[in-house]
């Protein structure tokens, strides 16, 4: 779902996920949220950040970075 949202630029989906993320412990944020953002899709080996950039969804990418997504890991 995260990859599709990134491809389509669904910022409302991302807003909901980010609200949910705030309810998680720091450990769960690393284990669940960060893993979802870092995991590449099976077809093209692209992460949601890559997909949002590829399809020009700048607001989606900015929201991810504001949420602390680390693309260097």
């Amino acid at each position: 779902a995260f990859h599709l949202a990134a491809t389509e630029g669904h910022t409302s989906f991302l807003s909901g996920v980010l609200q949910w993320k705030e309810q998680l412990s720091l450990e769960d944020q690393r284990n669940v949220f960060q893993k979802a953002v870092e995991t590449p899709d099976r077809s093209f080996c692209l992460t949601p950040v890559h997909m949002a950039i590829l399809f020009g969804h700048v607001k989606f990418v900015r929201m991810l970075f504001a949420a602390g997504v680390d693309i260097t890991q």
Side-chain angles (χ1 to χ4, degrees), residues 11-66:
T11 55
S12 59
F13 169 84
L14 182 55
S15 292
V17 170
L18 294 176
Q19 288 176 0
W20 167 76
K21 174 188 171 233
E22 294 304 316
Q23 298 173 11
L24 300 175
S25 68
L26 289 177
E27 182 178 347
D28 284 344
Q29 286 184 26
R30 285 189 295 273
N31 291 335
V32 177
F33 178 76
Q34 193 67 28
K35 191 172 284 188
V37 174
E38 293 174 350
T39 303
D41 72 312
R42 292 188 175 121
S43 300
F44 302 104
C45 294
L46 298 173
T47 67
V49 174
H50 293 129
M51 291 181 153
I53 291 169
L54 181 66
F55 288 94
H57 301 300
V58 176
K59 184 175 180 182
F60 196 95
V61 175
R62 287 184 177 154
M63 288 173 70
L64 286 173
F65 289 158

